[in-house]
Amino acid sequence: MTGAGAAAAAAEYRIEDLAHASGATVRTIRAYQDRGLLPTPERRGRANVYRETHLARLRQIADLLDRGYTLASIKELLEAWDAGRGLGGVLGLAAEVHGPWTDEEADRISRRELDARFGGRQDDEAIAEAVELGVLERVPGRDDEFLVPSPQELAVAVELYAAGVPLTAISGHLRELRGQVEHIASRFLEFTTEHVFARYLGHLPPTDADAAEAAALVRRLRPLAQQTVDAELARAMRTFATRHLHHHLGAEQSTITEDATRPVLLPVRTTRAVQDLVGADRLAEFITAATEREVQARTLDHLAATHAKEGKIDESL
């Protein structure tokens, strides 16, 4: 072992020094010890002595937390590591999932340029809402500059505003659209997990070989969700744009047959409430059944009211 390596291995820390070196708090370190996430420190008199292995473990935990793992799953991964199973495949899979899902690159924009794109008017409330939605991100230490995660999304907002759409309507539309797109993403992940990834995730943590193969599949399947949505959106826009054009030009509407279906837009909060109640897979079925029940109830109410009215007319004769 080299002199530097020996010095690193021999490094000792009090818990306060370990907290300072790792960026964790003393309370966090003790909580990790209680949960079995850290090796037991050496007891020397009335003090605990920590070594470089504890610092490395704390950095490893912080990295996994940044990747979205829970403490429970981190404990399983670290136990596998301690048992001699590598984490290379698992971390590679995590890196693939957490990597960019688009070729679009973030950009920066100054406050002056941003104001100019939206008519030259300063609107602090609109800026705050854009930051809340993640369309803009503040740059630390720069009040006059913003990070733009998706320049395409900002460009769409600029074009809509130039066409006469108010900023409040644009942000409201984005909130509604985001809820619907998140539902699509959730369903796609459930679908691919059930039919593709379940065989690699049957045991936790997965083996390096399974994790590496799953990561390769993520790379292959990553563009499929967007390609599918693009194709279906183009089909739907063509269909609905034609209907809207016919409606506004006064063209006759095609007759809806008894067994035909047509989409109906619902508020996002209503869709989410129903989904929480019955699950995503039964969402459409529940809404259809509830609608039919309401139609039947109103039909019965109408028949009862009509009968009562006719009865009163008969009595007056």
Side-chain angles (χ1 to χ4, degrees):
M1 180 178 293
T2 64
E12 296 181 350
Y13 302 89
R14 296 176 303 169
I15 191 168
E16 294 82 4
D17 299 329
L18 183 64
H20 177 74
S22 65
T25 65
V26 170
R27 182 177 180 180
T28 297
I29 293 173
R30 286 175 174 154
Y32 288 168
Q33 284 180 213
D34 293 340
R35 301 189 66 154
L37 291 168
L38 284 178
T40 303
E42 178 185 345
R43 189 72 176 176
R44 190 176 296 171
R46 299 178 60 183
N48 288 327
V49 177
Y50 299 85
R51 299 188 180 277
E52 200 68 25
T53 53
H54 295 92
L55 179 59
R57 177 58 58 89
L58 285 171
R59 289 172 175 168
Q60 202 171 35
I61 293 171
D63 179 61
L64 291 170
L65 286 172
D66 288 341
R67 294 172 184 265
Y69 287 89
T70 64
L71 288 177
S73 59
I74 289 174
K75 183 177 181 182
E76 292 181 346
L77 290 171
L78 295 178
E79 286 175 348
W81 174 276
D82 292 338
R85 292 172 58 188
L87 289 182
V90 173
L91 295 181
L93 174 58
E96 197 66 49
V97 171
H98 285 274
W101 285 74
T102 175
D103 295 332
E104 188 178 15
E105 295 184 2
D107 199 359
R108 290 197 178 200
I109 188 171
S110 68
R111 175 63 188 266
R112 178 179 297 180
E113 184 182 0
L114 190 63
D115 291 339
R117 290 194 185 184
F118 289 94
R121 181 172 62 91
Q122 291 190 353
D123 190 333
D124 292 338
E125 290 185 5
I127 293 291
E129 189 159 23
V131 171
E132 181 186 350
L133 287 168
V135 177
L136 300 174
E137 294 180 6
R138 299 191 183 278
V139 178
R142 298 294 301 270
D143 294 336
D144 61 341
E145 191 174 15
F146 297 91
L147 180 70
V148 185
S150 174
Q152 291 180 2
E153 192 169 50
L154 180 62
V156 169
V158 170
E159 290 297 327
L160 289 173
Y161 181 79
V165 182
L167 286 175
T168 53
I170 294 173
S171 60
H173 174 71
L174 177 57
R175 290 180 188 276
E176 182 176 355
L177 179 64
R178 182 168 294 177
Q180 295 168 345
V181 171
E182 287 175 354
H183 174 68
I184 293 173
S186 175
R187 291 294 297 122
F188 188 82
L189 288 174
E190 291 172 0
F191 170 78
T192 52
T193 297
E194 178 183 358
H195 296 284
V196 178
F197 293 106
R199 58 181 177 271
Y200 301 107
L201 305 176
H203 49 276
L204 293 174
T207 64
D208 270 1
D210 281 352
E213 190 169 347
L217 279 170
V218 170
R219 285 192 295 274
R220 286 173 49 195
L221 299 180
R222 178 179 290 168
L224 297 187
Q226 183 170 349
Q227 291 171 6
T228 302
V229 171
D230 286 347
E232 284 300 306
L233 180 61
R235 180 198 61 78
M237 287 298 297
R238 183 174 61 250
T239 300
F240 285 102
T242 301
R243 289 182 185 175
H244 278 274
L245 181 63
H246 287 179
H247 172 74
H248 288 289
L249 294 181
E252 292 186 1
Q253 295 285 335
S254 58
T255 304
I256 301 177
T257 60
E258 184 176 348
D259 58 348
T261 61
R262 61 185 302 178
V264 177
L265 297 179
L266 293 175
V268 174
R269 61 181 182 276
T270 302
T271 306
R272 286 178 176 171
V274 175
Q275 181 175 321
D276 292 342
L277 182 64
V278 301
D281 56 334
R282 305 192 66 182
L283 179 64
E285 180 184 354
F286 181 91
I287 292 175
T288 300
T291 304
E292 292 178 349
R293 180 177 179 180
E294 180 65 19
V295 170
Q296 292 172 356
R298 294 195 178 196
T299 301
L300 289 174
D301 290 343
H302 175 72
L303 290 173
T306 302
H307 176 73
K309 182 178 180 181
E310 291 177 348
K312 290 180 179 179
I313 293 176
D314 290 342
E315 290 175 0
S316 64
L317 294 178

